[in-house]
Amino acid sequence: MVQLSVPDVASQLNVSPQRVRAMLRSGILRGEQLGGRWLVDAASLGAAGKPAGRPFSERVAWGLVSVVEGDVAVELAPSERSRLKGRWNALLDSDDCARLLGAVMARRAERSRWSAPDPAGLFDDDRFVPSGKSDPRSGISARGYAEGYVQGSDFEDLVADHLLVPARGRENVLLRKVYRPLPVPLPWLVVAADLADGDAREVQQAELLLKRYAARA
């Protein structure tokens, strides 16, 4: 049996390592733990569903958000909007829509993980826009943890002002850096994509958000 590491599988499937571990726990992927590390049965990768294809560029990822939200502020050619509408409808019809959403939108922002003495302080900072499990729409209570977006021009000052240091085991802040205007609150589709990068519970909540949209569409 050929076995692969979690990072190798994450790279092949265009998902985060956390998502791979969630797929192992849920039985989507087969594997075993040795010394606290997962080894994935390469033959089970086909059970993870069809490949999502290459991730969209940052511009196109946010373009998908604008198409779903009915927002014309993001500049897209008519042909691009038409293609994105088709991809969106195909994604909603998929049995693994949360994974596919996270995969195609993987380049929407630059992600980094930090440790902070007071992560709650970020929520009082206008430069920080909550998302993922820190957004109330996620349905997840995440005390002592801050997840959200920050403008690239504010990133270094935010890190310095809140005494953030790169996470070394004790992660309590996840930042996504972008170079575009950030609406407050963020579009629900962005929240769903952020949840899709997380553990099994977060992926389940992403699926619920997507199903709620499909039900009212």
Side-chain angles (χ1 to χ4, degrees):
M1 177 176 67
V2 178
Q3 293 181 312
L4 303 172
S5 70
V6 166
D8 285 342
V9 174
S11 177
Q12 288 192 36
L13 297 180
N14 283 325
V15 298
S16 68
Q18 294 94 326
R19 175 58 178 151
V20 173
R21 295 185 187 97
M23 294 166 80
L24 285 161
R25 289 190 291 268
S26 66
I28 296 174
L29 292 173
R30 295 192 302 274
E32 60 179 340
Q33 280 187 299
L34 294 176
R37 293 176 60 248
W38 277 104
L39 293 175
V40 184
D41 178 2
S44 71
L45 264 61
K50 295 188 294 184
R54 294 182 61 186
F56 296 152
S57 68
E58 179 184 349
R59 182 184 71 86
V60 176
W62 288 91
L64 175 64
V65 175
S66 77
V67 166
V68 173
E69 294 283 318
D71 178 12
V72 296
V74 176
E75 293 186 6
L76 292 170
S79 60
E80 287 182 305
R81 286 193 175 273
S82 178
R83 285 197 298 272
L84 285 173
K85 286 179 182 178
R87 289 295 297 272
W88 171 241
N89 290 331
L91 187 149
L92 281 180
D93 289 339
S94 168
D95 292 331
D96 199 9
C97 55
R99 180 185 74 84
L100 294 175
L101 176 66
V104 299
M105 291 190 63
R107 295 176 182 168
R108 64 192 176 277
E110 181 182 329
R111 186 171 57 179
S112 56
R113 300 177 184 278
W114 305 84
S115 293
D118 179 26
L122 284 159
F123 294 97
D124 296 323
D125 192 318
D126 291 340
R127 296 170 295 184
F128 176 80
V129 183
S131 189
K133 62 185 179 183
S134 290
D135 188 290
R137 290 166 291 180
S138 72
I140 296 176
S141 175
R143 285 187 172 184
Y145 192 89
E147 175 180 356
Y149 285 74
V150 59
Q151 288 275 2
S153 57
D154 294 327
F155 185 81
E156 291 186 5
D157 287 343
L158 184 86
V159 167
D161 292 347
H162 291 273
L163 305 177
L164 305 186
V165 296
R168 296 289 186 270
R170 183 181 172 271
E171 171 202 329
N172 55 18
V173 174
L174 194 162
L175 294 179
R176 290 182 171 89
K177 179 169 61 174
V178 296
Y179 292 90
R180 63 179 53 252
L182 287 170
V184 182
L186 284 165
W188 72 271
L189 187 62
V190 176
V191 176
D194 294 342
L195 289 169
D197 286 341
D199 61 21
R201 184 186 179 199
E202 292 170 68
V203 172
Q204 183 180 44
Q205 292 302 109
E207 294 278 2
L208 285 175
L209 283 177
L210 288 162
K211 287 176 181 176
R212 285 174 192 162
Y213 175 86
R216 71 171 191 261

